[in-house]
Amino acid sequence: MYRAPLREMRFVLEELLGSARLAGSPHLADYSDELARSVLEEAARFAENVLEPLNRPGDLAGARWTPQGVVAAPGFADAYRQFAAAGWPALGGPPEFGGQAVPRVLVTAVGEFWGSANLAFKLGPMLTQGAVHALELCGSAAQKALFLPRLVSGEWTGTMVLTEPQAGSDLGQVRTRAAPAGDHYRLSGQKIFITWGDHDLTSNTLHMLLGRIDGAPAGVKGISLFIVPKYLVNADGSLGARNEVRCLSIEHKLGIHASPTCVLAFGEHDGAVAHLIGEPGRGLEYMFVMMNSARLSVASEGYAVGERAFQRAAEWARTRIQGKPPVPAPSGPLPIIHHPDVKRMLLLMKSQTEASRALTLYTAFQFDLAEQGSDARERAAAYARGELLTPIVKGWCTELGNEVAALGVQVHGGMGFVEETGAAQYVRDVRITTIYEGTTGIQSNDLIGRKLGRDRGAAMAALIADMQRELQAPVDEEVEPIRQAALEAVDALALATQALLQALATRPDVGMAVSVPYLKLCGYVGGGWLLARAAALAAAQSSGPQGEFYRSKIRTAAFYAAQVLPLAAALARIVRTGGTSVVATDAALL
């Protein structure tokens, strides 16, 4: 049974990040640790009692296509009604349209609970949240007034509609056509891989869609962003006739079976009614507002599923009796959690999940500081850091989520390979997260091609300097080895970054060849830095009333420093030396 890691989440928000300082902002005047605790406790109850019980049945039954539309997995419609009635879609939404003003870091923390309990369910509200963010920043006043209250309340849902059969990640090849028709457009085309593109949870769905206005130039400069409602919306917000949007089929996927992934046809007759968002030709720019929001959310999905896989594996290891482990004076067979290698696997799962959580929430917190900080220079630096870290956490956390879920099967042994234990579902469900919103390779290209390239590494240099400065401070003797390991990893990252920047200046192909190793290096080092910080904080509390919790933080960080951080040295060597060997290999030999 899933138990939301409330104490761990409080530690990260309150002690590691100090998120309560956001309360100084006029936009978050009501925010406090007490408010965050209350929100997290209610979210935990909903995740544990409503969403988790539907996870396995939803996987077995899946969403169902019919000619009239997609029918959600049993229980999902009722769960969504409870979700909306409890006000969860409003969390973090704009207050002027019914939202509750809380920082992004808290929204990200709550999203982990949804992802752990039921990833297939969580994906729908996540995309609606992205649609809200895009409309808030890019929509007209009339569009905001008409659409945002119903998205924020959860009355309607939103989607992100990009992919076409011939245009996967290369959005410059989008062909969906939009013809002007008075105050709107008539749109025709076909889109694939649209998550929650059709369902029976709400009365309407707003599709945020990329298309090309007639006469627009080829490539990304000719792409615009449109709102295409499933049902037309009257001026008073009531629903009109069905728009020309039809779900042709849903995909038969490896995992997340209860999340309908749709093939959508637009405008099969007269053209679907579509409303332009912002200016023509800026669609990809606007869509990246949604995409970057989704990338941070997907990062949390990686370790959210990892957390659930860890909990199930630990529960299995505590009760599964097999063999006689080499413990002092064994009295007979014991649960497998006493076997050293099982403990090693569980610690790998636990430490990497905690590192992923810390780095993702730290990234979300940077965006809060960028919006709420009192000093313009601080806001700019925080935004640059959040932008820098977004592709890192999206790529690294989802890659680790896959590793952690696979370890969960390994802990179960042969029992993990059969569906009845539930361990295999996490492997199937989490697999998509390294692909959603751009594969790990796309994230790494973004990291070194845009984030490093646009400022010649200035944002990364500032992050490295902050990590080095903090890790040079003296700590308790117990956590000194953790501090030293983290500092050595940061120094390796600094040297690798210098080498990468030199390569990008002269041989971009060599630099691109090691982009994924560099992204992973950044993740391991950033996670190690935050776990070292956590260990230093915990050392001061380890003899107090919650000593066992804090001692566990120190043990987890020590394991990460000893058995995970050494990967950073190997990745740093690859970044410094490995690119040439890749580009020198003839493709015909592969």
Side-chain angles (χ1 to χ4, degrees):
M1 181 177 293
Y2 171 64
R3 286 289 175 260
L6 281 168
R7 184 65 186 89
E8 170 67 21
M9 199 67 78
R10 282 175 44 203
F11 173 81
V12 176
L13 294 179
E14 297 173 16
E15 300 178 63
L16 189 61
L17 300 180
S19 64
R21 59 187 158 127
L22 294 170
S25 161
H27 301 292
L28 294 172
D30 296 331
Y31 183 71
S32 65
D33 286 341
E34 290 72 23
L35 173 64
R37 289 185 188 186
S38 176
V39 170
L40 290 170
E41 287 167 3
E42 289 301 319
R45 276 192 281 273
F46 193 88
E48 294 166 359
N49 299 325
V50 179
L51 297 184
E52 159 76 2
L54 295 176
N55 192 44
R56 181 63 175 157
D59 179 59
L60 294 173
R64 181 168 54 89
W65 183 87
T66 75
Q68 291 73 41
V70 174
V71 177
F76 271 56
D78 182 60
Y80 185 82
R81 281 191 289 271
Q82 295 181 59
F83 186 81
W88 291 116
L91 191 71
E96 61 270 34
F97 298 105
Q100 180 183 3
V102 299
R104 187 180 300 195
V105 71
L106 180 60
V107 175
T108 305
V110 168
E112 178 192 329
F113 295 171
W114 309 147
S116 290
N118 196 322
L119 180 58
F121 180 95
K122 187 253 188 185
L123 295 171
M126 179 199 80
L127 291 169
T128 302
Q129 191 178 68
V132 168
H133 195 199
L135 270 175
E136 184 184 6
L137 293 179
C138 309
S140 68
Q143 289 169 345
K144 293 177 186 179
L146 187 60
F147 298 130
L148 280 179
R150 291 159 182 85
L151 290 174
V152 170
S153 69
E155 180 183 351
W156 299 346
T157 57
T159 66
M160 184 161 57
V161 184
L162 289 73
T163 310
E164 298 180 7
Q166 81 292 340
S169 300
D170 185 1
L171 295 175
Q173 296 188 43
V174 162
R175 296 175 186 165
T176 296
R177 173 176 171 266
D183 63 351
H184 60 275
Y185 290 78
R186 287 285 182 174
L187 187 142
S188 58
Q190 187 177 114
K191 298 286 187 175
I192 63 172
F193 298 158
I194 309 307
T195 300
W196 283 98
D198 193 54
H199 57 82
D200 59 350
L201 303 187
T202 60
S203 60
N204 204 11
T205 298
L206 300 182
H207 300 292
M208 309 289 281
L209 181 146
L210 290 182
R212 196 177 298 278
I213 298 173
D214 285 352
V220 296
K221 293 183 179 180
I223 295 174
S224 299
L225 182 62
F226 300 88
I227 303 171
V228 186
K230 178 178 178 179
Y231 284 90
L232 301 179
V233 182
N234 299 318
D236 62 357
S238 62
L239 297 184
R242 177 73 183 257
N243 203 0
E244 283 190 30
V245 182
R246 188 165 66 94
C247 179
L248 302 181
S249 65
I250 58 176
E251 306 294 350
H252 304 285
K253 306 187 298 291
L254 178 68
I256 52 169
H257 295 147
S259 170
T261 303
C262 301
V263 177
L264 296 180
F266 293 88
E268 293 177 296
H269 301 290
D270 299 325
V273 173
H275 306 280
L276 179 69
I277 298 176
E279 299 176 16
R282 297 181 66 184
L284 200 58
E285 173 190 342
Y286 299 150
M287 182 60 80
F288 264 98
V289 174
M290 281 189 75
M291 194 175 295
N292 281 329
S293 174
R295 283 174 173 174
L296 194 59
S297 296
V298 174
S300 76
E301 291 166 9
Y303 64 80
V305 178
E307 170 68 32
R308 185 64 187 98
F310 166 69
Q311 289 190 21
R312 186 176 288 276
E315 180 184 6
W316 177 267
R318 292 188 190 103
T319 56
R320 178 69 167 173
I321 296 175
Q322 294 280 287
K324 297 181 180 181
V327 297
S331 58
L334 291 173
I336 63 172
I337 200 167
H338 294 281
H339 288 275
D341 192 59
V342 172
K343 287 191 282 187
R344 179 192 64 83
M345 289 190 287
L346 291 172
L347 281 166
L348 269 175
M349 298 173 78
K350 186 176 191 290
S351 65
Q352 295 190 114
T353 296
E354 290 190 11
S356 298
R357 176 185 293 120
L359 191 57
T360 301
L361 293 178
Y362 176 84
T363 303
F365 190 53
Q366 299 310 301
F367 289 114
D368 289 320
L369 293 174
E371 292 178 4
Q372 312 300 338
S374 57
D375 178 76
R377 183 175 297 179
E378 177 193 5
R379 291 197 300 272
Y383 184 77
R385 184 163 295 182
E387 287 270 285
L388 172 73
L389 288 170
T390 294
I392 295 171
V393 295
K394 195 281 173 183
W396 183 65
C397 295
T398 57
E399 292 284 348
L400 284 190
N402 275 264
E403 292 180 22
V404 169
L407 277 171
V409 171
Q410 192 74 6
V411 170
H412 283 74
M415 292 295 186
F417 197 67
V418 297
E419 290 287 350
E420 285 76 8
T421 60
Q425 182 185 346
Y426 307 127
V427 175
R428 293 187 285 100
D429 284 355
V430 79
R431 189 63 190 86
I432 187 60
T433 61
T434 60
I435 300 170
Y436 268 157
E437 313 311 330
T439 63
T440 306
I442 289 174
Q443 304 304 317
S444 67
N445 288 346
D446 176 52
L447 172 62
I448 72 169
R450 294 188 181 92
K451 306 305 164 54
L452 281 183
R454 71 184 176 191
D455 64 5
R456 293 296 299 157
M460 179 60 76
L463 175 60
I464 289 172
D466 284 351
M467 291 191 288
Q468 289 172 326
R469 181 170 55 253
E470 184 174 308
L471 289 168
Q472 286 165 355
V475 295
D476 186 276
E477 181 179 357
E478 183 181 10
V479 299
E480 172 60 23
I482 302 170
R483 182 201 70 84
Q484 184 62 39
L487 182 57
E488 290 174 1
V490 174
D491 291 343
L493 172 61
L495 293 174
T497 302
Q498 292 173 9
L500 180 61
L501 287 169
Q502 291 172 2
L504 291 172
T506 56
R507 287 287 306 276
D509 55 341
V510 172
M512 298 295 277
V514 293
S515 61
V516 168
Y518 181 74
L519 180 148
K520 290 183 176 181
L521 170 63
C522 294
Y524 282 118
V525 173
W529 162 56
L530 290 171
L531 288 191
R533 179 198 281 188
L537 292 169
Q541 304 285 341
S542 59
S543 59
Q546 297 186 45
E548 179 51 35
F549 171 80
Y550 289 107
R551 287 191 293 274
S552 175
K553 300 298 298 177
I554 296 171
R555 287 194 296 270
T556 302
F559 177 87
Y560 186 95
Q563 293 217 24
V564 178
L565 261 186
L567 292 171
L571 288 166
R573 283 194 298 273
I574 291 172
V575 173
R576 295 197 306 268
T577 64
T580 304
S581 64
V582 175
V583 298
T585 301
D586 192 325
L589 299 176
L590 298 176

